[in-house]
Every structure is written in C-alpha cells, then in structure tokens.
C-alpha cells in the first residue's frame, strides 16, 4: 500500500510540475492587436523633430500637491518602478511598496507600475528619510 501511495504521489508531482511549466499558474496579459495603421502623412524628419522637441522640453510636475520630490527617469530594459526608486535612494526606500506604487500612479496620470514601458519617461517619487 505504501508503494502505491508513493507512486501516486510522484505521478501527481510530475503532473503538477508539467502543468506549471507548460501552462503556468500566473495570469498572462493578452495584448490587444494594434489597430491597422493609416498611411503616414508625416515625413521621418518631422517625426524626428517632434521627438527632439519632446525630449528637450522638461515636463512640469503633474501633481503639484505631491508632498515629496520626484525625478523624471527614462525606463531601461529590466527595470521596475521599485528598482528605479531604490536606485534613486541608493538603498532601502523609507516607504512601503504600496506607497511607492500609489505615488507613482499619482505622478503619472494614474498609470499603474505594471504598465511602464521601456524607453518611456516617467516621474518617480523620492522620499526623505
């Protein structure tokens, strides 16, 4: 009886590992297909000029009621909101993860931390100890 129980336990463990590796247990984000693009009316030069103008002009701080200071950072591959805030503080952050998430959303027009995109610029909260 012990051998049968042990065999069933091993089979269940193998099935669980297989399911986790193939299907996964974390929810996946389904990206909506991009709408069909109309013919471009702008030339490449006009687009480049617009991008340079956007990069050169500093954006005002969106929420002036925010009590702490904020820094504008361009997101690089592999970075998260928390990792960027930790880099800005050069160590542990004197705020909870929920507070950092809430402040980030307030500073960036209710963009969730999970929705940040590479090469985009966002405001990140900084906290004084």
């Amino acid at each position: 009886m012990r051998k049968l129980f042990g065999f069933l336990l091993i089979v269940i463990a193998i099935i669980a590992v297989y399911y986790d590796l193939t299907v996964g247990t974390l929810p996946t984000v389904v990206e909506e297909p991009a709408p069909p693009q109309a013919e471009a009316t702008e030339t490449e030069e006009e687009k480049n000029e617009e991008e340079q103008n956007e990069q050169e002009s500093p954006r005002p701080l969106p929420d002036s009621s925010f009590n702490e200071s904020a820094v504008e950072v361009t997101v690089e591959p592999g970075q998260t909101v928390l990792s960027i805030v930790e880099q800005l503080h050069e160590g542990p952050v004197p705020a909870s993860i929920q507070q950092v998430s809430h402040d980030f959303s307030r500073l960036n027009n209710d963009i969730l931390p999970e929705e940040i995109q590479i090469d985009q610029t966002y405001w990140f909260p900084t906290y004084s100890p």
Side-chain angles (χ1 to χ4, degrees):
M1 189 67 166
R2 283 186 174 180
K3 289 183 181 181
L4 179 62
F5 179 71
F7 177 74
L8 290 176
L9 187 62
I10 290 172
V11 169
I12 291 172
I14 290 172
I15 291 172
V17 169
Y18 175 77
Y19 180 82
D20 192 34
L21 292 176
T22 57
V23 177
T25 55
L26 296 175
T28 57
V29 177
V30 178
E31 294 185 23
E32 297 178 15
Q37 295 180 350
E39 292 184 25
T41 56
E42 295 183 37
T43 64
E44 287 296 321
E45 291 178 13
E46 291 174 346
K47 288 180 183 178
N48 290 338
E49 286 178 20
E50 288 177 13
E51 288 177 6
Q52 287 176 352
N53 290 339
E54 288 176 2
Q55 291 174 354
E56 291 173 4
S57 61
R59 293 187 338 198
L61 194 59
D63 187 358
S64 60
S65 65
F66 188 68
N67 293 334
E68 302 291 335
S69 62
V71 177
E72 193 171 20
V73 177
T74 301
V75 178
E76 296 176 2
Q79 289 184 318
T80 64
V81 170
L82 191 57
S83 69
I84 293 171
V85 172
E86 285 175 345
Q87 286 176 347
L88 293 173
H89 288 87
E90 298 177 357
V93 180
S96 68
I97 294 172
Q98 291 82 7
Q99 185 65 41
V100 172
S101 176
H102 175 73
D103 293 342
F104 174 83
S105 293
R106 283 183 49 206
L107 286 169
N108 294 288
N109 300 324
D110 295 326
I111 293 176
L112 297 175
E114 301 85 30
E115 296 174 348
I116 64 171
Q117 297 179 358
I118 297 171
D119 295 330
Q120 295 296 317
T121 303
Y122 301 98
W123 287 99
F124 291 88
T126 57
Y127 303 93
S128 56

